């Protein structure tokens, strides 16, 4: 069985916690909660976490689905080098960002989730994982027509190849004939 890549879990957890922190901060500011300044901090921290965590990192093995429009933010994250690539730094950063949100009720859930993401990033760092950008997929300029001998004529689901050969030999095409009766 393969090893779990903890950074992928941490990325999803941190992105969700950034959204929750942002929403909780907006609720705290709009609701004029006591000490609403912490809620305003939650809005700023939520936006920062979302921008940092939106670009996914490349997996060690297999393919990684790129999020829509992540190429721009990935370039920004890549620009900061070891400050954003290293998961020890991300774990400490998320832990520090989570503390002030715990002082007001609307941002507590985002704070707890960000703390959990921090722990998962710490585990990923212990496992020697590191953020790497997803490279743009290279387009193949080969001729596709050579690999396709004859495109299928029947819509899916198609019968197995043996049945298709028999149908072609018998002269049946698989189409249903409709005749009108007067």
């Amino acid at each position: 069985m393969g090893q779990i890549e903890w950074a992928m879990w941490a990325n999803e957890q941190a992105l969700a916690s950034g959204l929750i922190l942002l929403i909780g901060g907006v609720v705290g500011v709009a609701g004029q909660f006591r000490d609403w300044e912490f809620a305003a901090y939650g809005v700023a921290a939520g936006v920062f976490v979302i921008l940092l965590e939106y670009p996914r990192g490349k997996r060690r093995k297999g393919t990684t689905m790129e999020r829509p429009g992540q190429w721009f933010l990935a370039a920004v994250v890549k620009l900061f080098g070891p400050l954003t690539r290293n998961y020890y730094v991300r774990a400490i950063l998320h832990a520090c960002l989570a503390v002030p949100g715990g002082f007001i009720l609307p941002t507590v859930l985002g704070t707890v989730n960000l703390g959990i993401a921090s722990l998962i990033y710490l585990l990923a760092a212990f496992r020697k994982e590191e953020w790497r950008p997803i490279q743009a997929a290279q387009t193949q300029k080969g001729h596709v027509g050579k690999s396709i001998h004859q495109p299928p004529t029947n819509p899916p689901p198609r019968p197995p190849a043996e049945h298709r050969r028999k149908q072609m030999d018998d002269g049946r095409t698989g189409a249903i004939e409709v005749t009108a009766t007067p």
Side-chain angles (χ1 to χ4, degrees), residues 113-133:
N113 285 332
L114 199 57
I116 292 169
S118 174
L119 292 174
I120 299 171
Y121 267 133
L122 193 60
L123 180 62
F126 283 143
R127 303 266 178 152
K128 306 274 191 275
E129 295 180 30
E130 185 178 68
W131 187 87
R132 292 174 288 142

Side-chain angles (χ1 to χ4, degrees), residues 147-171:
S147 64
I148 301 175
H149 299 290
Q150 183 177 359
T153 56
N154 294 345
R158 295 180 190 92
E162 305 84 44
H163 294 284
R164 284 188 292 208
R165 287 190 195 115
K166 288 179 184 177
Q167 288 177 354
M168 291 175 64
D169 293 341
D170 294 344

